Amino acid sequence: MSDSFATLPQRTAAPQSWMVRVADAKFHWYDLIAGVADKPDIRDPIGRYMRRMQFELEATAERRHLFLAVTRPRVRFDITGVVQWGFFSLKLTLPLLLGADERKDAITVELKAPFAATMKKPTVTLTDTFLSLHWGGTVEVFSVHDLLQTYGHTLKLPSKVCYVGQTRDPEGRLGKGRLGALHKLRAQFGMDYDTLILVLGMEVTVNCAEGDAAALPHNLQPPPADILQAERMDVIEAALIRYFEGSAPRLRPLDERRARGERLTAVQAANHLAQYTIDLELADTGFYTDLCSEVVSAARRHLLSCYIADGQAQVAPLPLPAPVKGGKA
């Protein structure tokens, strides 16, 4: 067997259909790293927070995950406002500034003392983007988006998907804030919106009379396994681009669209892919579960029927199943 053949996956000949679900999902506030030239000081709690976020994003460059660039109306802590504690409780009210006009608002959260705390109530320090809670034995750091994502609130701030991409990148541009498409996106929305990155690990279940090609012994080796995974991510990415960005995405140059069309045609033929369903539901992202776009209404769950035709991902929303009595939808 030649070396080049050994790297290629073995294929099945029967038609396939795929069921795609979200295995894990996590938001990162992209603006915090995109505009920082120098590495933050890891001796400082906020510096450690930013370095950890950067490390997490840089680590995704080795993985075949998808990401959604999500904009939300600008939100900041009001450092000139009043921080208030509830009587005999750990309820903390924090002042906020919302939108480009910096409309005043507030959020009330009920804190839980961490295990290493040596104080009943923490000392509170605010910057416009970070909350630091000094508990004596430990310091907790939350960005303003962490706080809104973690604690319940009534603020109506839409999470708008503006760009779909993949994290796998030898240059690691996403974690370094150097991705050209996201620079264009941030320039388009200016300082009135915050840009978050939602990293999605996707799980693909293959329905095929001959089984899942990825389970064949030869395809368990790294080179063929990676080729199959790359094909699946390309197909899923194309469907989410079509769904969230529409049929003529503004941030996609013509040569990229042509290359994607050729790739989809080849992948469809190699996998005998007849149809695939994407169930996009965010289960572990706190209160940032609803996604929308310029062409898609906000919803917690997006169920999509997809197929490839003429090098294009064709996508149609499916009705959500009726809720199960006494359980989730």
Side-chain angles (χ1 to χ4, degrees), residues 172-217:
R173 290 168 296 178
L174 184 63
K176 297 172 183 173
R178 296 176 184 170
L179 207 58
L182 295 191
H183 285 310
K184 293 178 184 177
L185 179 66
R186 294 176 75 234
Q188 175 185 330
F189 283 92
M191 300 301 293
D192 297 346
Y193 290 83
D194 296 330
T195 302
L196 309 181
I197 295 297
L198 174 58
V199 176
L200 299 172
M202 308 302 289
E203 178 182 79
V204 180
T205 302
V206 175
N207 183 17
C208 176
E210 299 178 23
D212 184 355
L216 295 173

Side-chain angles (χ1 to χ4, degrees), residues 64 80 212:
R64 293 203 180 275
T80 65
D212 184 355

Side-chain angles (χ1 to χ4, degrees), residues 279-324:
D279 189 351
L280 183 61
E281 182 176 20
L282 306 182
D284 300 315
T285 56
F287 292 89
Y288 280 20
T289 54
D290 289 19
L291 298 175
C292 66
S293 77
E294 287 186 354
V295 294
V296 173
S297 299
R300 179 171 185 165
R301 185 181 182 188
H302 301 264
L303 190 61
L304 312 175
S305 175
C306 316
Y307 64 96
I308 306 299
D310 300 322
Q312 300 292 322
Q314 307 296 327
V315 181
L318 293 171
L320 298 179
V324 179

Side-chain angles (χ1 to χ4, degrees), residues 35-263:
V36 177
D38 300 323
K39 290 184 179 180
D41 187 349
I42 60 172
R43 293 170 295 182
D44 176 75
I46 291 177
R48 287 196 296 273
Y49 174 102
M50 292 181 64
R51 285 296 288 158
R52 184 169 63 249
M53 182 180 66
Q54 189 171 18
F55 286 148
E56 288 177 359
L57 275 178
E58 288 177 351
T60 66
E62 301 296 324
R63 302 169 190 160
R64 293 203 180 275
H65 291 337
L66 299 183
F67 74 85
L68 307 181
V70 177
T71 63
R72 288 176 60 90
R74 176 185 168 93
V75 57
R76 296 291 184 272
F77 290 118
D78 182 359
I79 59 175
T80 65
V82 178
V83 175
Q84 295 180 318
W85 285 104
F87 288 109
F88 309 112
S89 75
L90 284 176
K91 282 189 177 180
L92 178 64
T93 299
L94 299 162
L96 300 175
L97 299 173
L98 304 181
D101 57 352
E102 297 192 330
R103 176 172 54 87
K104 290 182 180 293
D105 211 313
I107 181 174
T108 298
V109 301
E110 184 154 11
L111 303 176
K112 291 183 179 179
F115 179 77
T118 58
M119 298 167 57
K120 291 184 177 179
K121 283 187 179 180
T123 302
V124 178
T125 304
L126 282 184
T127 69
D128 62 339
T129 51
F130 283 103
L131 163 70
S132 299
L133 302 173
H134 300 254
W135 290 92
T138 188
V139 178
E140 288 186 301
V141 173
F142 297 88
S143 75
V144 65
H145 283 290
D146 291 336
L147 204 73
L148 295 181
Q149 186 180 336
T150 304
Y151 294 96
H153 56 83
T154 58
L155 303 176
K156 303 298 182 184
L157 303 173
S159 295
K160 184 177 177 182
V161 178
C162 298
Y163 187 84
V164 180
Q166 296 192 40
T167 61
R168 181 68 174 265
D169 176 14
E171 298 178 24
R173 290 168 296 178
L174 184 63
K176 297 172 183 173
R178 296 176 184 170
L179 207 58
L182 295 191
H183 285 310
K184 293 178 184 177
L185 179 66
R186 294 176 75 234
Q188 175 185 330
F189 283 92
M191 300 301 293
D192 297 346
Y193 290 83
D194 296 330
T195 302
L196 309 181
I197 295 297
L198 174 58
V199 176
L200 299 172
M202 308 302 289
E203 178 182 79
V204 180
T205 302
V206 175
N207 183 17
C208 176
E210 299 178 23
D212 184 355
L216 295 173
H218 171 76
N219 294 341
L220 297 177
Q221 300 175 64
D226 187 61
I227 289 173
L228 288 177
Q229 181 71 357
E231 292 176 352
R232 295 175 182 187
M233 290 305 105
D234 286 348
V235 168
I236 299 165
E237 177 196 27
L240 294 182
I241 289 172
R242 181 64 182 266
Y243 181 64
F244 283 116
E245 299 183 43
S247 57
R250 290 196 301 268
L251 293 173
R252 309 286 175 176
L254 184 59
D255 58 346
E256 177 189 332
R257 295 190 212 177
R258 286 175 177 166
R260 179 172 290 109
E262 294 172 2
R263 170 69 167 166

